[in-house]
């Protein structure tokens, strides 16, 4: 039976220390994350925290003037330019509102993500912002719903940016941008230049962001009475190397296309290099478009036609919305618009 020590019947830091077989100061170091602690010790402490449902009373410290209210920003890869701009929006808005912003880059490690969220719950972070697409599976929804409920019980708020919503009733804020609409408008622009064989360099098939952009590609064709050739749909990831690899594969296969739409600007950059390596001119021989409108898109040669996503504003809105709700308030779903930025990399089809 779990031993309770304080007057409210809640587990204390000494209870957790006893369960883990360490000192209370060691538990504090693990939860604070600012002192080096061995992996084995950290694992024992976090297991005890979960088993005892321990939540550190960080609010009392804040009332006493010790510490700063925090927000957590969790993403898979902080080196991605679009995520970096969103992180800047989160950090700037958090600072403006007097909150400290903590960033965790998980490299796709679900265990690391869950451990960080649990630490933020223990420290009573005002909100935890999860960023980036995911596979929309029953397991994902159940796991994320548990996270939302757990954070709400500690007075925190879960915000999903670009991740699939959880359905009605979840104490979560969902903020998205119009992935499908942006891709539809972009491909419609390319088709409007007379192109009918449009190669699409997409992301992972189960990734919700990639799925939205692929739906826009297909929908733009069908709205014009066209059916895209399935051979022109290639899947990889959202990196420059993936774009280079997929573009080389398409050229080696001898695929017939006059234009390329890449799922991200980074993918487009890799594709552009592969096209130049093959001696092809953009847009003279092949038109090329990207998605995201990250800053270097305008500095490519030719400057890249793309879809502008308001990433920094997305980050700012995530903070404002999270802090404007009580932790257990009903879910809210916000959708930001996107628009096509026409530059030099798309031209009318020859002939």
């Amino acid at each position: 039976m779990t031993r309770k020590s304080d007057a409210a019947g809640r587990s204390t830091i000494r209870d957790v220390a006893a369960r883990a077989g360490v000192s209370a100061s060691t538990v504090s170091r693990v939860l604070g994350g600012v002192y080096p602690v061995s992996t084995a010790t950290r694992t024992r402490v976090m297991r005890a925290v979960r088993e005892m449902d321990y939540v550190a009373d960080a609010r009392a410290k804040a009332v006493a003037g010790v510490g700063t209210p925090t927000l957590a920003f969790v993403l898979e890869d902080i080196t991605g330019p679009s995520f970096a701009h969103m992180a800047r929006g989160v950090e700037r808005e958090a600072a403006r509102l007097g909150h400290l912003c903590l960033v965790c880059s998980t490299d796709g490690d679900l265990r690391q993500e869950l451990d960080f969220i649990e630490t933020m719950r223990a420290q009573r972070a005002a909100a935890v912002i999860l960023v980036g697409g995911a596979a929309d599976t029953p397991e994902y929804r159940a796991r994320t719903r548990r996270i939302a409920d757990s954070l709400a019980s500690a007075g925190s708020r879960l915000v999903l940016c670009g991740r699939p919503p959880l359905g009605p009733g979840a104490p979560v804020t969902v903020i998205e941008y119009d992935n499908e609409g942006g891709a539809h408008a972009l491909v419609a622009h390319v088709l409007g230049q007379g192109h009918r064989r449009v190669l699409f360099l997409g992301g992972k098939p189960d990734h919700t962001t990639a799925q939205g952009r692929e739906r826009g590609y297909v929908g733009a064709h069908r709205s014009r009475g066209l059916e895209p050739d399935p051979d022109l749909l290639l899947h990889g990831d959202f990196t420059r190397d993936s774009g280079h690899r997929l573009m080389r594969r398409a050229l080696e296969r001898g695929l017939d296309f006059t234009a390329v739409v890449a799922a991200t600007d980074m993918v487009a950059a890799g594709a552009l290099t592969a096209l130049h390596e093959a001696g092809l001119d953009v847009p003279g021989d092949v038109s090329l478009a990207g998605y995201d409108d990250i800053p270097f898109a305008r500095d490519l040669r030719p400057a890249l036609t793309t879809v502008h996503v308001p990433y920094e504003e997305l980050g700012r809105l995530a903070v404002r919305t999270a802090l404007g709700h009580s932790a257990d308030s009903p879910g809210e779903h916000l959708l930001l618009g996107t628009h096509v930025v026409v530059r030099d990399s798309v031209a009318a089809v020859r002939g």
Side-chain angles (χ1 to χ4, degrees):
M1 182 175 178
T2 300
R3 181 165 60 93
K4 307 289 184 180
S5 294
D6 71 355
R10 297 173 299 187
S11 297
T12 69
I13 194 169
R14 290 183 176 83
D15 298 326
V16 174
R19 172 70 67 91
V22 299
S23 67
S25 61
T26 297
V27 175
S28 179
R29 288 170 183 155
V30 170
L31 296 180
V34 294
Y35 293 94
V37 178
S38 72
T39 301
T41 298
R42 183 176 186 278
T43 299
R44 291 205 312 275
V45 170
M46 293 308 299
R47 183 185 300 118
V49 166
R50 289 192 294 271
E51 290 173 352
M52 306 191 76
D53 198 32
Y54 173 74
V55 177
D57 194 5
R59 280 184 177 172
K61 294 180 181 180
V63 171
V66 180
T68 302
T70 58
L71 289 163
F73 182 75
V74 187
L75 69 169
E76 182 173 327
D77 179 12
I78 200 170
T79 64
S82 57
F83 288 157
H85 279 274
M86 194 183 301
R88 182 169 67 177
V90 169
E91 190 277 330
R92 287 182 173 180
E93 191 68 11
R96 187 182 72 83
L97 296 174
H99 284 64
L100 177 67
C101 180
L102 302 179
V103 178
C104 176
S105 180
T106 66
D107 292 323
D109 185 338
L110 179 59
R111 183 71 260 167
Q112 184 178 350
E113 178 180 291
L114 294 175
D115 283 349
F116 181 74
I117 292 170
E118 181 57 33
T119 299
M120 291 299 97
R121 174 181 179 269
Q123 295 186 358
R124 294 188 182 271
V128 174
I129 302 170
L130 297 183
V131 177
D136 190 4
T137 64
E139 292 77 16
Y140 160 82
R141 287 176 177 259
R143 180 180 70 248
T144 309
R145 177 61 190 257
R146 287 194 298 271
I147 291 172
D149 290 338
S150 176
L151 289 171
S153 72
S156 186
R157 180 75 174 184
L158 179 65
V159 182
L160 303 177
C161 284
R163 289 202 177 190
L166 304 181
V172 62
T173 295
V174 179
I175 302 178
E176 296 184 284
Y177 52 89
D178 193 359
N179 260 307
E180 183 174 346
H184 190 289
L186 178 66
V187 177
H189 170 70
V190 173
L191 295 174
Q193 299 299 308
H195 298 278
R196 293 297 178 265
R197 303 282 300 175
V198 181
L199 178 68
F200 184 74
L201 306 182
K204 298 176 182 177
D206 65 347
H207 192 277
T208 51
T209 301
Q211 289 172 348
R213 296 180 186 186
E214 185 172 319
R215 285 196 303 270
Y217 165 83
V218 173
H221 281 80
R222 291 177 177 170
S223 67
R224 289 175 171 260
L226 305 170
E227 192 64 31
D229 184 345
D231 289 340
L232 297 182
L233 276 165
L234 303 183
H235 296 104
D237 56 44
F238 284 170
T239 65
R240 178 266 176 204
D241 289 346
S242 178
H244 186 265
R245 182 174 62 254
L246 293 178
M247 192 72 256
R248 289 188 61 179
R249 183 186 306 168
L251 294 170
E252 289 166 358
R253 289 180 182 177
L255 295 181
D256 176 24
F257 58 89
T258 62
V260 180
V261 170
T264 69
D265 291 344
M266 294 298 291
V267 172
L272 180 62
T273 298
L275 289 167
H276 286 166
E277 290 171 347
L280 295 172
D281 178 69
V282 177
D285 298 314
V286 179
S287 286
L288 175 67
Y291 202 116
D292 286 334
D293 195 25
I294 58 180
F296 83 75
R298 72 193 71 173
D299 297 321
L300 294 175
R301 289 294 176 267
L304 189 66
T305 291
T306 185
V307 174
H308 177 77
V309 180
Y311 283 113
E312 186 166 338
E313 176 55 27
L314 193 68
R316 290 180 179 274
L317 182 62
V319 173
R320 290 196 301 270
T321 306
L323 297 182
H325 286 76
S326 63
D328 58 353
S329 62
E332 183 175 15
H333 194 160
L334 305 176
L335 182 67
L336 276 66
T338 56
H339 64 268
V340 176
V341 179
V342 177
R343 297 194 179 104
D344 302 328
S345 62
V346 174
V349 66
R350 285 184 174 180

